[in-house]
Amino acid sequence: MWPACAAGLALLAIAADALAQFSGTAGVVSDYRYRGVSLSGNDPAAQAGVNYDDASGWYAGAFASTARSPIDGRHGVQAIFSTGYATRLPSGLSLEMGADYSVLTAVSGHDYAEVFAGFAFRELSGRLYYSPRYFGRDSKAVYAEANFAHPLQDNVRVLAHAGALRADADVHQGYVYRGPTGPQFDAAAGIAVDWQGFNVQLTWVQVNHVGGAYAFDAASRRRGVVLSVSHSF
């Protein structure tokens, strides 16, 4: 399950629906990757999400995944609460703007807020995020992503994702990072299958370097295969 990709596609698409509605998902992943970085210590994670989409275009949602601290192995969750407004133009282009707030219980002091703007057109969607204190640090960060979903059959889709993070990554909670700095790029490609109410995704995920933007970087593999199984309701 790709939380950012799924939100970008689903929230913009639902903006065109005539009636307000609630929706939700629950599932498991073999490795919880957030913007290319594992927040579960490369281990499996349980996830759940719920969204409310109003006919006027306003929406709100919450997503949660189990997480694990790379510092002391403590288990917790990352919860992301979001709200925004989406509209569809006569051309078929959808636009959105909103904000989210992330709470990370596995490691203290890593909560942060973002604002974002996004679009969706046919098989392509994207978002641009800005945070004044990314992962609880006194530094600004910008993250941009593009997501692609192409149907092969009624229940089979090819997925692709590319993201780029720009943040001051030299100091984190008093820890001076001596590794690679500069923009951090992540990418993913895979296939999704809908079957009997379940969504199964198999994706290859990669990040260009282990930087200092996340305390989780040292415990995260740079690349790997992620399997996810989720059910929508």
Side-chain angles (χ1 to χ4, degrees), residues 33 35-38 165-167 169-170 177-187 206-214 216-218 220-223:
R33 291 274 172 163
R35 298 177 178 176
V37 176
S38 177
L165 173 71
R166 180 65 184 179
D170 295 331
Y177 181 74
R178 302 297 185 185
T181 59
Q184 186 163 305
F185 301 100
D186 66 280
Q206 180 167 349
V207 64
N208 68 321
H209 67 73
V210 177
Y214 306 91
F216 289 76
D217 280 346
S220 176
R221 300 189 188 101
R222 289 180 54 192
R223 61 183 66 89

Side-chain angles (χ1 to χ4, degrees), residues 31-34 36-43 68 216-217 219-221:
D31 185 2
Y32 175 37
R33 291 274 172 163
Y34 182 76
V37 176
S38 177
L39 299 192
S40 61
N42 306 302
D43 290 334
R68 185 166 68 87
F216 289 76
D217 280 346
S220 176
R221 300 189 188 101

Side-chain angles (χ1 to χ4, degrees), residues 102 122 185 220 225:
S102 173
R122 295 180 181 174
F185 301 100
S220 176
V225 175

Side-chain angles (χ1 to χ4, degrees), residues 155-157 159 191-195 198-202 228 230:
N155 65 330
V156 180
R157 301 183 307 280
L159 306 175
I191 190 167
V193 178
D194 297 315
W195 179 75
F198 288 88
N199 177 264
V200 181
Q201 295 184 18
L202 185 65
S228 71
S230 62

Side-chain angles (χ1 to χ4, degrees), residues 22-26 49-51 231-233:
F22 285 94
S23 61
T25 61
V50 62
N51 293 299
H231 176 68
S232 299
F233 53 89

Side-chain angles (χ1 to χ4, degrees), residues 12-142:
L12 292 176
I14 292 172
D17 288 354
L19 299 176
Q21 63 178 9
F22 285 94
S23 61
T25 61
V28 294
V29 294
S30 62
D31 185 2
Y32 175 37
R33 291 274 172 163
Y34 182 76
R35 298 177 178 176
V37 176
S38 177
L39 299 192
S40 61
N42 306 302
D43 290 334
Q47 301 181 335
V50 62
N51 293 299
Y52 172 76
D53 302 279
D54 192 79
S56 65
W58 291 99
Y59 64 82
F63 168 84
S65 176
T66 56
R68 185 166 68 87
S69 168
I71 300 171
D72 57 11
R74 183 159 59 103
H75 291 272
V77 299
Q78 183 193 34
I80 303 173
F81 306 92
S82 61
T83 186
Y85 177 80
T87 184
R88 177 168 291 177
L89 305 180
S91 64
L93 173 67
S94 293
L95 301 174
E96 70 164 343
M97 62 185 304
D100 62 44
Y101 191 82
S102 173
V103 176
L104 190 61
T105 67
V107 183
S108 62
H110 285 61
D111 301 351
Y112 71 95
E114 293 178 313
V115 293
F116 59 81
F119 77 94
F121 185 72
R122 295 180 181 174
E123 300 174 347
L124 184 67
S125 69
R127 274 182 177 177
L128 179 65
Y129 299 81
Y130 169 77
S131 175
R133 298 187 72 252
Y134 194 58
F135 266 69
R137 298 173 54 201
D138 291 325
S139 62
K140 304 176 181 66
V142 176

